[in-house]
Amino acid sequence: DIQMTQSPSSLSASVGDRVTITCRASQNINSYLNWYQQKPGKTPSLLIYAAARLQSGVPSRFSGTGSGTDFTLTIISLQPEDFATYYCHQSYDTPWTFGQGTRVEIK
Amino acid sequence: QVHLQESGPGLVKPSETLSLTCTVSGGSISTYYWTWIRQPPGKGLEYIGYINYSGSTNYNPSLKGRVTISIDTSQKQFSLELSSVSASDTAVYYCARRGEVAMLDYWGQGILVTVSS
């Protein structure tokens, strides 16, 4: 299985901060990397797909970069509604696998 | 707008079979791949498997052959069966659509299934 490792596991940030979350795959996954946001008690929602494509309706303060094994999700100017857990997901090969999640908390 | 809704029992006894159905509305079921994902309480996301409209399936080997996913295109539903369940199968189970670029673009609201006697 392809292992997905996110860092950090959690972070504290303030409204207006720039936040970067990284995801590393255990092997090359080209650009088959997606990012999801999950708020407590809610369903995950797609933010970024194919490493860098913004899902329709997602604010432009979210962006994704990377290819191969190293990827980043960046939130410029963190907003109150962005406090949540973020997961990366590789869809290059089955079984699809997810990162362990990064919890973004209010400082 | 595509909408997915899970249904099924919220409590299953150990060693029995968990059975869930996902109903798709607002779009065609006869394209894309239809997926099951689960999330144990307080933990991360785990891929269970997927099916396409023609019945082609893929399952996570970690579930050791306990999984069956089926589809009924006439009812716009797909289903999950997980046999020989134990407490470690307690989780929120989500159905989701695999979009054109292999992302999970639409999700159901999730259903908590507890395995307990």
Side-chain angles (χ1 to χ4, degrees):
Chain A
D1 297 5
I2 299 174
Q3 304 303 314
M4 306 300 293
T5 304
Q6 284 182 237
S7 61
S9 295
S10 64
L11 64 90
S12 295
S14 301
V15 172
D17 283 354
R18 179 187 181 98
V19 169
T20 298
I21 299 168
T22 65
C23 180
R24 174 164 289 178
S26 61
Q27 66 183 71
N28 179 20
I29 59 170
N30 291 335
S31 295
Y32 287 88
L33 191 285
N34 310 304
W35 290 98
Y36 304 88
Q37 177 193 67
Q38 186 177 35
K39 298 180 181 179
K42 301 297 185 183
T43 298
S45 65
L46 179 66
L47 295 174
I48 301 286
Y49 65 96
R53 300 188 192 181
L54 193 68
Q55 173 68 350
S56 176
V58 173
S60 58
R61 63 180 179 273
F62 292 92
S63 65
T65 61
S67 67
T69 60
D70 294 310
F71 303 87
T72 61
L73 172 70
T74 300
I75 312 170
I76 60 170
S77 189
L78 195 69
Q79 297 301 299
E81 60 268 29
D82 301 336
F83 292 95
T85 299
Y86 294 84
Y87 292 95
C88 62
H89 159 229
Q90 68 81 16
S91 55
Y92 176 76
D93 195 15
T94 56
W96 294 343
T97 46
F98 295 83
Q100 80 279 16
T102 295
R103 185 174 179 181
V104 177
E105 300 174 318
I106 301 172
K107 181 182 284 185
Chain B
Q1 178 79 347
V2 177
H3 181 74
L4 288 78
Q5 179 70 57
E6 303 89 349
S7 59
L11 180 64
V12 181
K13 290 182 169 56
S15 79
E16 295 190 345
T17 296
L18 178 160
S19 297
L20 298 174
T21 295
C22 182
T23 302
V24 180
S25 59
S28 173
I29 197 171
S30 297
T31 51
Y32 304 105
Y33 287 73
W34 302 94
T35 306
W36 289 97
I37 304 290
R38 71 180 181 178
Q39 185 172 36
K43 296 189 178 180
L45 300 164
E46 181 183 25
Y47 164 76
I48 298 172
Y50 66 59
I51 191 166
N52 73 357
Y53 68 94
S54 65
S56 176
T57 56
N58 179 274
Y59 301 137
N60 193 330
S62 71
L63 294 167
K64 297 182 175 60
R66 298 190 293 130
V67 178
T68 303
I69 299 176
S70 57
I71 193 166
D72 184 341
T73 55
S74 66
Q75 296 294 317
K76 298 186 72 174
Q77 294 178 330
F78 62 105
S79 299
L80 168 69
E81 290 193 338
L82 181 64
S83 63
S84 304
V85 297
S86 66
S88 62
D89 294 309
T90 293
V92 176
Y93 285 75
Y94 296 100
C95 58
R97 188 184 85 168
R98 174 196 184 271
E100 293 179 355
V101 195
M103 71 291 208
L104 298 168
D105 56 357
Y106 291 96
W107 295 65
Q109 66 182 27
I111 182 168
L112 173 62
V113 179
T114 301
V115 178
S116 175
S117 54

